[in-house]
Amino acid sequence: EVQLVQSGAEVKKPGESLKISCKGSGYSFTSYWIGWVRQMPGKGLEWMGIIYPGDSDTRYSPSFQGQVTISADKSISTAYLQWSSLKASDTAMYYCARHHTVTTGRFDPWGQGTLVTVSS
Amino acid sequence: SYVLTQPPSVSVAPGQTARITCGGNNIGSKSVHWYQQKPGQAPVLVVYDDSDRPSGIPERFSGSNSGNTATLTISRVEAGDEADYYCQVWDSSSDPHVVFGGGTKLTVL
Protein backbone atom coordinates (compact mmCIF):
# COMPACT_ATOMS: atom_id res chain seq x y z
CA GLU A 1 0.00 0.00 0.00
CA VAL A 2 1.32 3.41 -0.97
CA GLN A 3 1.42 5.56 2.14
CA LEU A 4 2.72 8.93 3.30
CA VAL A 5 3.07 9.39 7.06
CA GLN A 6 3.70 12.85 8.45
CA SER A 7 5.25 13.95 11.71
CA GLY A 8 3.10 15.01 14.65
CA ALA A 9 1.53 18.30 15.60
CA GLU A 10 3.80 21.14 16.64
CA VAL A 11 3.32 24.17 18.88
CA LYS A 12 5.93 26.86 18.44
CA LYS A 13 6.58 30.48 19.32
CA PRO A 14 7.07 33.24 16.75
CA GLY A 15 10.67 33.41 15.59
CA GLU A 16 11.39 29.75 16.25
CA SER A 17 12.49 27.32 13.55
CA LEU A 18 10.70 24.15 12.57
CA LYS A 19 11.13 21.15 10.26
CA ILE A 20 8.26 18.73 9.63
CA SER A 21 8.54 15.46 7.78
CA CYS A 22 6.72 13.17 5.38
CA LYS A 23 7.84 9.54 5.04
CA GLY A 24 6.84 7.52 2.01
CA SER A 25 6.42 3.76 1.81
CA GLY A 26 5.01 1.15 -0.54
CA TYR A 27 6.54 2.61 -3.70
CA SER A 28 9.82 3.83 -5.19
CA PHE A 29 10.25 7.11 -3.28
CA THR A 30 12.80 8.46 -5.76
CA SER A 31 10.49 8.01 -8.76
CA TYR A 32 7.72 10.45 -7.83
CA TRP A 33 7.64 14.11 -6.87
CA ILE A 34 6.30 15.03 -3.43
CA GLY A 35 4.22 18.17 -2.97
CA TRP A 36 3.39 20.29 0.07
CA VAL A 37 0.00 21.96 0.53
CA ARG A 38 -1.07 24.47 3.18
CA GLN A 39 -4.57 24.78 4.60
CA MET A 40 -5.11 27.68 6.96
CA PRO A 41 -7.93 27.36 9.49
CA GLY A 42 -11.28 27.31 7.73
CA LYS A 43 -9.70 27.99 4.33
CA GLY A 44 -8.91 26.17 1.10
CA LEU A 45 -5.90 24.33 -0.24
CA GLU A 46 -2.77 26.25 -1.29
CA TRP A 47 0.11 24.71 -3.21
CA MET A 48 3.51 25.45 -1.67
CA GLY A 49 5.95 23.50 -3.81
CA ILE A 50 7.17 20.12 -5.03
CA ILE A 51 10.41 18.18 -4.80
CA TYR A 52 11.83 15.25 -6.74
CA PRO A 53 13.61 13.10 -4.14
CA GLY A 54 15.73 11.43 -6.82
CA ASP A 55 17.85 14.56 -7.32
CA SER A 56 16.22 17.11 -4.95
CA ASP A 57 15.01 19.27 -7.87
CA THR A 58 12.56 21.66 -6.20
CA ARG A 59 9.91 24.06 -7.51
CA TYR A 60 8.20 26.62 -5.32
CA SER A 61 4.95 28.50 -5.62
CA PRO A 62 5.80 32.20 -5.94
CA SER A 63 3.68 32.76 -2.82
CA PHE A 64 6.01 30.59 -0.74
CA GLN A 65 9.39 31.13 -2.42
CA GLY A 66 11.81 32.37 0.22
CA GLN A 67 9.34 31.69 3.04
CA VAL A 68 9.95 27.95 3.43
CA THR A 69 12.50 25.34 2.38
CA ILE A 70 11.56 21.98 0.91
CA SER A 71 14.11 19.18 1.05
CA ALA A 72 14.34 15.39 0.93
CA ASP A 73 16.53 12.57 2.17
CA LYS A 74 16.12 9.72 -0.28
CA SER A 75 18.10 7.33 1.92
CA ILE A 76 15.22 7.32 4.40
CA SER A 77 12.37 8.06 1.94
CA THR A 78 11.49 11.30 3.70
CA ALA A 79 10.61 14.78 2.50
CA TYR A 80 10.75 17.87 4.69
CA LEU A 81 9.22 21.31 5.00
CA GLN A 82 11.04 23.81 7.13
CA TRP A 83 10.85 27.37 8.43
CA SER A 84 13.74 29.39 9.80
CA SER A 85 11.60 31.92 11.63
CA LEU A 86 7.94 31.14 12.19
CA LYS A 87 5.17 33.73 12.22
CA ALA A 88 1.69 33.52 13.70
CA SER A 89 0.37 33.50 10.14
CA ASP A 90 2.12 30.15 9.56
CA THR A 91 -0.49 28.52 11.79
CA ALA A 92 -2.10 25.94 9.53
CA MET A 93 -2.45 22.29 8.60
CA TYR A 94 0.27 21.15 6.22
CA TYR A 95 -0.17 18.17 3.92
CA CYS A 96 2.30 16.29 1.81
CA ALA A 97 1.10 14.29 -1.18
CA ARG A 98 2.63 12.28 -3.98
CA HIS A 99 2.50 14.35 -7.18
CA HIS A 100 2.13 12.62 -10.51
CA THR A 101 4.24 15.24 -12.26
CA VAL A 102 5.14 13.38 -15.44
CA THR A 103 1.53 12.68 -16.30
CA THR A 104 -1.23 15.14 -15.48
CA GLY A 105 -0.23 16.34 -12.05
CA ARG A 106 -2.72 14.82 -9.64
CA PHE A 107 -1.93 14.43 -5.93
CA ASP A 108 -2.44 10.90 -4.67
CA PRO A 109 -2.18 9.74 -1.99
CA TRP A 110 -2.01 12.39 0.74
CA GLY A 111 -0.40 12.30 4.14
CA GLN A 112 -2.58 12.67 7.21
CA GLY A 113 -1.45 16.26 7.76
CA THR A 114 0.68 18.05 10.34
CA LEU A 115 -0.92 20.82 12.39
CA VAL A 116 1.45 23.69 13.10
CA THR A 117 0.40 26.24 15.71
CA VAL A 118 2.48 29.37 16.18
CA SER A 119 1.56 31.41 19.22
CA SER A 120 3.31 33.49 21.84
CA SER B 1 -1.68 33.37 -13.18
CA TYR B 2 -4.31 30.76 -13.88
CA VAL B 3 -7.46 30.94 -11.73
CA LEU B 4 -10.03 28.23 -10.98
CA THR B 5 -13.45 29.39 -9.80
CA GLN B 6 -15.84 27.20 -7.79
CA PRO B 7 -19.19 28.07 -6.19
CA PRO B 8 -18.77 28.36 -2.40
CA SER B 9 -21.66 26.02 -1.71
CA VAL B 10 -24.01 23.52 -3.30
CA SER B 11 -26.99 21.92 -1.57
CA VAL B 12 -28.83 18.77 -2.61
CA ALA B 13 -31.36 16.37 -1.13
CA PRO B 14 -30.41 12.74 -0.55
CA GLY B 15 -30.87 10.60 -3.64
CA GLN B 16 -30.60 13.56 -5.98
CA THR B 17 -27.69 14.57 -8.23
CA ALA B 18 -25.12 17.17 -7.21
CA ARG B 19 -23.09 19.07 -9.78
CA ILE B 20 -20.07 21.09 -8.71
CA THR B 21 -18.47 23.31 -11.32
CA CYS B 22 -14.91 24.53 -11.75
CA GLY B 23 -14.40 27.42 -14.14
CA GLY B 24 -11.17 28.42 -15.83
CA ASN B 25 -10.00 29.94 -19.07
CA ASN B 26 -10.02 27.14 -21.66
CA ILE B 27 -9.98 24.58 -18.86
CA GLY B 28 -11.12 22.00 -21.39
CA SER B 29 -7.54 21.88 -22.67
CA LYS B 30 -6.23 20.83 -19.25
CA SER B 31 -6.61 17.73 -17.12
CA VAL B 32 -8.74 18.40 -14.06
CA HIS B 33 -8.58 16.52 -10.78
CA TRP B 34 -11.13 16.55 -7.94
CA TYR B 35 -10.62 16.01 -4.22
CA GLN B 36 -13.06 15.35 -1.41
CA GLN B 37 -12.21 16.61 2.07
CA LYS B 38 -14.36 15.69 5.04
CA PRO B 39 -14.02 17.64 8.32
CA GLY B 40 -10.82 16.82 10.15
CA GLN B 41 -9.51 14.61 7.36
CA ALA B 42 -6.96 14.89 4.59
CA PRO B 43 -8.16 15.39 1.01
CA VAL B 44 -8.88 12.28 -1.05
CA LEU B 45 -8.70 12.06 -4.84
CA VAL B 46 -12.14 11.16 -6.22
CA VAL B 47 -11.77 11.94 -9.94
CA TYR B 48 -8.60 12.47 -12.00
CA ASP B 49 -7.85 13.33 -15.61
CA ASP B 50 -11.29 14.89 -15.97
CA SER B 51 -13.32 11.69 -15.63
CA ASP B 52 -11.31 8.74 -14.30
CA ARG B 53 -11.97 7.27 -10.87
CA PRO B 54 -9.31 5.88 -8.54
CA SER B 55 -9.94 2.38 -7.28
CA GLY B 56 -12.33 2.36 -4.36
CA ILE B 57 -14.24 5.47 -5.42
CA PRO B 58 -17.93 4.72 -6.10
CA GLU B 59 -19.24 4.95 -9.64
CA ARG B 60 -21.62 7.64 -8.37
CA PHE B 61 -18.71 10.06 -8.75
CA SER B 62 -18.04 11.20 -12.31
CA GLY B 63 -16.48 14.14 -14.08
CA SER B 64 -16.52 16.04 -17.34
CA ASN B 65 -14.54 18.90 -18.81
CA SER B 66 -15.19 21.10 -21.82
CA GLY B 67 -14.69 24.69 -22.85
CA ASN B 68 -14.33 26.87 -19.78
CA THR B 69 -16.01 24.56 -17.26
CA ALA B 70 -15.20 21.26 -15.59
CA THR B 71 -17.91 19.51 -13.59
CA LEU B 72 -17.91 16.95 -10.81
CA THR B 73 -21.18 15.03 -10.72
CA ILE B 74 -22.28 13.00 -7.73
CA SER B 75 -25.29 10.79 -8.44
CA ARG B 76 -27.66 9.40 -5.82
CA VAL B 77 -26.14 11.66 -3.17
CA GLU B 78 -25.76 10.19 0.31
CA ALA B 79 -25.34 11.89 3.68
CA GLY B 80 -21.75 10.66 3.73
CA ASP B 81 -20.94 12.72 0.61
CA GLU B 82 -21.23 15.93 2.61
CA ALA B 83 -17.76 17.48 2.36
CA ASP B 84 -15.65 20.15 0.73
CA TYR B 85 -14.68 19.49 -2.87
CA TYR B 86 -11.68 21.04 -4.66
CA CYS B 87 -10.70 21.04 -8.31
CA GLN B 88 -7.04 21.21 -9.35
CA VAL B 89 -4.95 21.50 -12.49
CA TRP B 90 -1.24 21.22 -13.23
CA ASP B 91 0.46 23.63 -15.56
CA SER B 92 3.70 22.02 -16.69
CA SER B 93 4.93 24.95 -18.78
CA SER B 94 8.33 26.61 -18.36
CA ASP B 95 7.05 27.89 -14.98
CA PRO B 96 5.33 24.77 -13.64
CA HIS B 97 2.74 25.29 -10.97
CA VAL B 98 -0.27 23.74 -9.31
CA VAL B 99 -3.60 25.54 -9.10
CA PHE B 100 -6.46 24.67 -6.74
CA GLY B 101 -9.98 25.99 -6.92
CA GLY B 102 -11.33 27.74 -3.86
CA GLY B 103 -13.45 24.77 -2.84
CA THR B 104 -17.16 24.01 -2.69
CA LYS B 105 -19.02 22.95 0.43
CA LEU B 106 -21.55 20.24 -0.47
CA THR B 107 -24.47 20.15 1.95
CA VAL B 108 -26.85 17.20 1.94
CA LEU B 109 -30.21 18.50 3.06
Side-chain angles (χ1 to χ4, degrees):
Chain A
E1 178 194 8
V2 176
Q3 207 172 7
L4 296 173
V5 177
Q6 298 185 229
S7 51
E10 301 275 1
V11 179
K12 292 289 190 179
K13 291 181 172 14
E16 292 185 332
S17 62
L18 176 64
K19 191 174 189 177
I20 62 175
S21 66
C22 168
K23 183 174 176 61
S25 62
Y27 73 101
S28 174
F29 188 73
T30 54
S31 298
Y32 288 85
W33 292 68
I34 292 285
W36 287 95
V37 175
R38 182 176 78 173
Q39 187 168 39
M40 299 179 76
K43 302 299 183 182
L45 305 176
E46 300 175 90
W47 173 62
M48 301 177 73
I50 52 173
I51 186 167
Y52 187 68
D55 61 6
S56 291
D57 186 8
T58 308
R59 314 294 170 87
Y60 291 94
S61 161
S63 299
F64 293 93
Q65 179 84 47
Q67 307 305 308
V68 297
T69 300
I70 295 171
S71 60
D73 184 341
K74 63 184 179 182
S75 69
I76 55 172
S77 300
T78 301
Y80 301 97
L81 177 65
Q82 70 181 84
W83 296 260
S84 59
S85 181
L86 287 160
K87 302 184 285 284
S89 58
D90 292 317
T91 294
M93 182 71 82
Y94 293 88
Y95 294 101
C96 66
R98 189 174 70 168
H99 188 241
H100 296 246
T101 308
V102 297
T103 54
T104 55
R106 66 187 184 272
F107 286 104
D108 182 50
W110 294 61
Q112 83 277 20
T114 295
L115 180 63
V116 174
T117 303
V118 184
S119 174
S120 54
Chain B
S1 61
Y2 196 74
V3 175
L4 295 176
T5 301
Q6 298 182 237
S9 63
V10 167
S11 298
V12 64
Q16 299 303 303
T17 297
R19 293 179 179 84
I20 298 172
T21 59
C22 176
N25 184 36
N26 197 27
I27 195 173
S29 67
K30 302 180 183 297
S31 291
V32 179
H33 317 299
W34 291 92
Y35 304 90
Q36 175 193 67
Q37 186 180 33
K38 295 182 179 179
Q41 297 184 20
V44 172
L45 181 70
V46 293
V47 167
Y48 68 98
D49 294 356
D50 299 338
S51 59
D52 290 335
R53 273 187 319 277
S55 61
I57 300 300
E59 292 183 9
R60 301 184 298 103
F61 289 82
S62 62
S64 63
N65 184 18
S66 179
N68 293 317
T69 305
T71 304
L72 173 69
T73 301
I74 309 172
S75 304
R76 303 180 299 284
V77 166
E78 302 172 357
D81 298 331
E82 188 162 288
D84 294 323
Y85 291 85
Y86 296 90
C87 58
Q88 178 245 318
V89 299
W90 163 240
D91 185 339
S92 58
S93 63
S94 58
D95 179 25
H97 55 276
V98 172
V99 183
F100 285 103
T104 298
K105 168 68 175 176
L106 175 66
T107 299
V108 181
L109 301 171

